[in-house]
Amino acid sequence: MTEKNSVGEKIRQFRENHEMTVEELAKESQSSVELIKKLEAGELIPSLTPLLKIARALGVRLGTFLDDMPQTGPVVVRNGASSNVVRFSGKSKRSEESALDFHSLAADKQDRNMEPFIIDVHPFKTAEEHELSSHEGEEFIYVLSGSIEVTYGKENYELSAGDSIYYDSVVPHDLHATESEARILAVVYTPI
């Protein structure tokens, strides 16, 4: 099973466990029925914001879709080399293009409140307008290499290696690579 399918399969399992139809989940998560069906079928690379809204509608953490075998003790990831990688499309119009590769740093930690990731941020192959999205919670971003641009509301912030930003996710925002590959440490908090 591919990474895309494992996320979609978990969404389907949680939806069925909650005895929800695809239509009910779409309404509760403010998503389209088509998006839910394609995610569950593994036909597209999900975007982070709809995935957060789907998790909230199902009453689970975002990490629940990424977890394999939850542990109660500490989770150690050596040298940022997580074996748990999930690809997200960002807000690309082309769902087959991955803009963000999330390397989970706590995928197996049970009952966590934060989602720490190392994220490889890929520039889009073609110029695109960057769509803003919002969700409940907070985000902390630290640039490890390369440079990114964060649009937060009406402001733009250019960040290079060593720079960081912390913001409320409820304000419409977007994060993208400026010219070439970038790598960031991100810690995302979303209330259930």
Side-chain angles (χ1 to χ4, degrees):
M1 183 175 286
T2 67
E3 297 147 340
K4 293 183 279 187
N5 286 338
S6 66
V7 171
E9 178 64 21
K10 287 181 182 180
I11 291 170
R12 185 191 59 74
Q13 288 173 351
F14 279 100
R15 178 181 58 76
E16 289 176 353
N17 287 345
H18 284 81
E19 298 180 354
M20 294 177 85
T21 65
V22 169
E23 292 77 14
E24 290 169 333
L25 178 57
K27 182 179 178 184
E28 288 294 316
S29 64
Q30 301 169 352
S31 303
S32 70
V33 170
E34 179 184 14
L35 174 71
I36 302 295
K37 286 181 178 179
K38 285 186 175 185
L39 281 173
E40 288 187 0
E43 295 175 5
L44 60 81
I45 298 170
S47 175
L48 183 59
T49 298
L51 206 55
L52 285 165
K53 290 179 180 180
I54 291 167
R56 186 163 178 82
L58 293 171
V60 299
R61 299 173 293 103
L62 169 66
T64 303
F65 299 141
L66 311 175
D67 296 346
D68 286 325
M69 296 172 41
Q71 300 178 42
T72 55
V75 173
V76 177
V77 175
R78 303 252 184 235
N79 202 24
S82 171
S83 61
N84 190 320
V85 179
V86 177
R87 289 170 175 76
F88 290 103
S89 62
K91 274 100 30 218
S92 174
K93 305 280 190 283
R94 295 173 307 284
S95 60
E96 70 280 358
E97 183 178 332
S98 174
L100 306 167
D101 294 347
F102 283 63
H103 304 262
S104 179
L105 299 178
D108 298 329
K109 176 68 175 117
Q110 189 174 15
D111 298 327
R112 65 186 178 272
N113 296 304
M114 300 179 295
E115 298 293 341
F117 300 99
I118 297 288
I119 304 174
D120 294 319
V121 185
H122 309 292
F124 288 118
K125 294 176 182 140
T126 59
E128 291 193 17
E129 183 176 318
H130 302 282
E131 293 182 30
L132 303 181
S133 61
S134 64
H135 52 86
E136 289 188 52
E138 301 173 345
E139 296 180 34
F140 170 79
I141 308 295
Y142 180 86
V143 181
L144 298 167
S145 64
S147 61
I148 62 169
E149 180 179 57
V150 175
T151 302
Y152 184 74
K154 296 182 186 291
E155 301 292 324
N156 289 318
Y157 300 92
E158 296 260 346
L159 304 173
S160 299
D163 296 341
S164 67
I165 187 170
Y166 187 114
Y167 52 85
D168 292 318
S169 306
V170 72
V171 174
H173 60 280
D174 175 70
L175 177 151
H176 54 273
T178 53
E179 294 178 12
S180 60
E181 300 286 322
R183 186 165 241 221
I184 64 174
L185 167 68
V187 181
V188 179
Y189 166 74
T190 52
I192 294 182

